[in-house]
């Protein structure tokens, strides 16, 4: 007969093993590469940038990259890629970027949750960010 302490220990060991198994499973992509929050969701080719686009890149890195990833490629678990057909100019015009940065956005295309407003961002910075994102989009076939 197994005692209550033995059953409790067995259940605890089983629970720990199950937890570790799930953690290991979800820490790797299907291709066997480690799943890292920094991993981009799309591949982005970065073209030569004009001065305003370079300023936009700097502003993007300071205000947006934490969620939308380096070069707007998205971040697993954090935010969607902006280099995606959903954000093409005919669907999300430039004003949509201004509104999102200033007011935030309710979740609607992706399952990353609501986007909060970007604290302290200036219209000129958003203008530069939009120029940068649009350049990246065009270079990656999104017009």
């Amino acid at each position: 007969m197994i005692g209550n302490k033995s059953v409790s220990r067995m259940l605890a060991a089983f629970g720990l093993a199950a937890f570790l198994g799930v953690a290991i499973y979800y820490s790797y992509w299907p291709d066997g590469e480690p799943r890292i929050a920094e991993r981009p969701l799309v591949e982005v080719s970065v073209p030569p940038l004009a001065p305003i686009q370079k300023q936009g890149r700097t502003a993007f890195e300071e205000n947006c990259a934490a969620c939308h990833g380096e070069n707007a490629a998205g971040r697993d678990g954090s935010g969607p890629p902006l280099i995606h057909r959903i954000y093409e100019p005919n669907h999300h015009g430039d004003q949509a970027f201004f509104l999102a940065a200033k007011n935030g956005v309710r979740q609607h295309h992706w399952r990353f949750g609501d986007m909060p407003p970007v604290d302290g961002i200036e219209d000129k910075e958003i203008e530069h960010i939009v120029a940068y994102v649009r350049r990246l989009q065009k270079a990656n076939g999104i017009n």
Side-chain angles (χ1 to χ4, degrees):
M1 180 176 259
I2 299 176
N4 284 342
K5 275 189 170 181
S6 296
V7 170
S8 294
R9 286 183 182 158
M10 286 175 34
L11 288 174
F14 176 75
L16 178 61
F19 172 79
L20 290 174
V22 169
I24 290 169
Y25 175 79
Y26 283 106
S27 66
Y28 286 86
W29 291 92
D31 63 5
E33 290 293 317
R35 185 183 301 256
I36 302 170
E38 296 293 324
R39 184 174 175 149
L41 297 176
V42 298
E43 285 189 38
V44 176
S45 174
V46 180
L49 302 173
I52 191 173
Q53 296 160 347
K54 288 179 183 178
Q55 291 172 339
R57 182 180 196 170
T58 299
F60 183 90
E61 289 169 353
E62 293 171 0
N63 296 286
C64 313
C67 294
H68 290 288
E70 184 178 345
N71 300 316
R75 281 187 55 184
D76 180 46
S78 296
L82 300 178
I83 311 308
H84 191 280
R85 64 182 175 80
I86 286 176
Y87 298 103
E88 67 186 356
N90 291 332
H91 188 245
H92 282 88
D94 294 354
Q95 191 61 30
F97 286 90
F98 280 85
L99 292 172
K102 291 290 194 170
N103 304 320
V105 178
R106 291 186 61 151
Q107 173 180 299
H108 58 287
H109 288 298
W110 307 89
R111 294 183 183 253
F112 292 102
D114 296 342
M115 177 185 153
V118 180
D119 290 332
I121 195 160
E122 301 292 329
D123 286 351
K124 200 62 153 172
E125 290 176 295
I126 300 169
E127 180 182 326
H128 296 165
I129 290 168
V130 170
Y132 168 64
V133 170
R134 294 301 190 206
R135 177 70 177 117
L136 291 176
Q137 288 175 334
K138 188 171 185 177
N140 288 274
I142 300 165
N143 298 323

